[in-house]
Amino acid sequence: MRWENLADDDAPSGPARTAALFAADAVTTRTFDTPEFRGITFHEIRARSIVNRVPGASRMPFEWTVNPYRGCSHACVYCFARKTHSYLDLDTGLGFDSQIVVKVNAPELLRVHLASRRWQGAHIAMGTNVDCYQRAEGRYRLMPGIIAALRDHANPFSILTKGTLILRDLELLKEAAAVTEVGISVSVGFLDQELWRTVEPGTPAPDRRLDAVRTLTEHGIGCGVLMAPVIPFLGDHPDQLRATVRAIAASGATSVTPLVLHLRPGAREWFMAWLGQHHPHLVRRYERLYAEGAYAPKWYQRRITGQVHELATEFGIGPARRGEARRIPAASEPTRPEPTQLSLL
């Protein structure tokens, strides 16, 4: 395993990548013989840094990220982060799902970083590479320390997750939201149970994720929904979009933001293999739709966005504002959704 070549999660590949984030002799490999972790190997490391700068060419609407894990047991077949496992000579398919790198010193590293005079208190995004509330978090409990550090330094942050485990940290999130801007988004791209079981096999069911949205909202933490991915020919029928947006609205979500499936290298190969196994009749259609690269054509993206916008208006919710954070309102402040610019978070 090529630990010595591991670089920042959001850094580009190739010669320009940075030096290793930790020494090879700092890795401890563990397995746990419990049902929830069976078949998963954890590589515990003491990282050298934890706050990563997003490359300037990225489409992401944020500049800094924290990723306490690499690899993800959610096993989403379309996950764009799969390519990062190849930097370790690990498989981007099953290896990404079952070989999880755990940065066990993430909370303490973050505290040191936030206390530095050079740090200007910029927004930090989490859950943008792999899910910080995947199954491993139930054992390693890195997020409470991370959120507490951000709270103590009043540093704005956002979290994107498919994991209902975020509810464990509800009180910490409320404390943080009282002193800084906190943005929470849950990813729910569709409701179809059969599609969920095959394309996102390690995640909580979509209705459970929407229950988490409801709970967060009921406790004063506004929560948006990233309707992602909208999967062409499998989750994009108008009736499917309507049912999904209706359920998102019923959960009390403050916003809904659609994002069409994109297939970067690493994810593309794994997704197309899955498609050939489960929906072989769609392979040629996907090859045509994604012939120009990782993203679906603009006309298709505009069509999906327009349909979701119309449904969101019908059901009384709007898209998220770029960079917008959700805070617990004061008692005198009314809460209402505002239709605004689309963004990832």
Side-chain angles (χ1 to χ4, degrees):
M1 194 175 297
R2 206 169 56 200
W3 294 111
E4 67 274 12
N5 290 332
L6 182 62
D8 291 342
D9 290 333
D10 296 300
S13 59
R17 286 170 57 219
T18 60
L21 295 183
F22 50 87
D25 60 3
V27 181
T28 300
T29 298
R30 301 185 192 277
T31 57
F32 304 104
D33 190 23
T34 55
E36 68 270 28
F37 297 129
R38 194 160 293 140
I40 300 177
T41 300
F42 297 98
H43 305 284
E44 300 175 359
I45 62 98
R46 294 191 63 80
R48 292 174 177 164
S49 65
I50 196 63
V51 179
N52 307 314
R53 184 189 289 273
V54 178
S58 172
R59 298 188 178 200
M60 302 300 184
F62 43 79
E63 188 177 359
W64 300 95
T65 65
V66 165
N67 297 297
Y69 302 98
R70 285 181 77 123
C72 186
S73 58
H74 280 171
C76 301
V77 297
Y78 52 76
C79 183
F80 66 85
R82 289 183 176 276
K83 179 67 174 176
T84 63
H85 252 40
S86 66
Y87 305 154
L88 301 176
D89 279 342
L90 286 172
D91 176 54
T92 59
L94 289 176
F96 181 84
D97 304 339
S98 61
Q99 301 282 332
I100 311 300
V101 177
V102 184
K103 302 172 187 177
V104 294
N105 60 334
E108 61 194 79
L109 268 181
L110 181 58
R111 279 195 179 273
V112 171
H113 189 96
L114 297 177
S116 169
R117 291 183 179 180
R118 292 178 296 175
W119 180 247
Q120 300 298 309
H123 179 97
I124 290 177
M126 292 174 284
T128 60
N129 193 53
V130 300
D131 204 314
C132 48
Y133 282 105
Q134 61 176 285
R135 251 178 289 170
E137 174 61 17
R139 180 177 183 88
Y140 287 97
R141 299 182 62 87
L142 300 180
M143 287 303 292
I146 289 171
I147 296 170
L150 292 162
R151 174 203 62 194
D152 294 347
H153 288 272
N155 200 103
F157 66 91
S158 59
I159 298 172
L160 172 64
T161 184
K162 288 186 177 77
T164 55
L165 186 58
I166 191 173
L167 296 179
R168 179 201 63 192
D169 298 335
L170 181 57
E171 290 305 314
L172 270 173
L173 292 170
K174 290 169 67 175
E175 292 171 8
V179 297
T180 190
E181 294 180 341
V182 175
I184 306 295
S185 292
V186 171
S187 177
V188 181
F190 48 84
L191 301 181
D192 186 289
Q193 292 289 298
E194 182 178 354
L195 183 59
W196 158 64
R197 288 191 180 96
T198 57
V199 81
E200 299 172 345
T203 66
D207 57 342
R208 288 187 56 209
R209 288 178 242 161
L210 291 177
D211 286 341
V213 173
R214 186 175 295 106
T215 299
L216 287 162
T217 302
E218 288 173 351
H219 284 81
I221 297 183
C223 182
V225 169
L226 181 65
M227 191 170 159
V230 175
I231 302 180
F233 318 128
L234 293 172
D236 64 348
H237 188 277
D239 290 344
Q240 292 174 302
L241 298 179
R242 169 174 286 275
T244 302
V245 176
R246 181 191 294 117
I248 290 169
S251 75
T254 55
S255 65
V256 56
T257 304
L259 189 67
V260 172
L261 174 74
H262 58 276
L263 297 172
R264 298 183 191 176
R268 187 186 186 108
E269 296 84 352
W270 190 242
F271 179 86
M272 292 302 290
W274 171 86
L275 192 70
Q277 179 181 356
H278 292 272
H279 304 281
H281 63 289
L282 292 178
V283 170
R284 291 299 300 275
R285 296 183 71 180
Y286 265 81
E287 289 174 347
R288 290 194 295 268
L289 190 66
Y290 289 89
E292 306 256 329
Y295 294 88
K298 292 290 185 182
W299 64 263
Y300 180 85
Q301 295 185 52
R302 284 194 294 267
R303 190 185 83 189
I304 296 299
T305 298
Q307 289 176 304
V308 172
H309 277 182
E310 290 178 7
L311 291 165
T313 299
E314 177 181 343
F315 293 114
I317 53 177
R321 176 183 301 161
R322 166 169 284 197
E324 182 176 29
R326 309 294 180 187
R327 296 190 63 181
I328 298 176
S332 60
E333 293 180 357
T335 58
R336 60 183 181 276
E338 299 179 6
T340 45
Q341 181 71 30
L342 281 173
S343 77
L344 177 62
L345 294 177

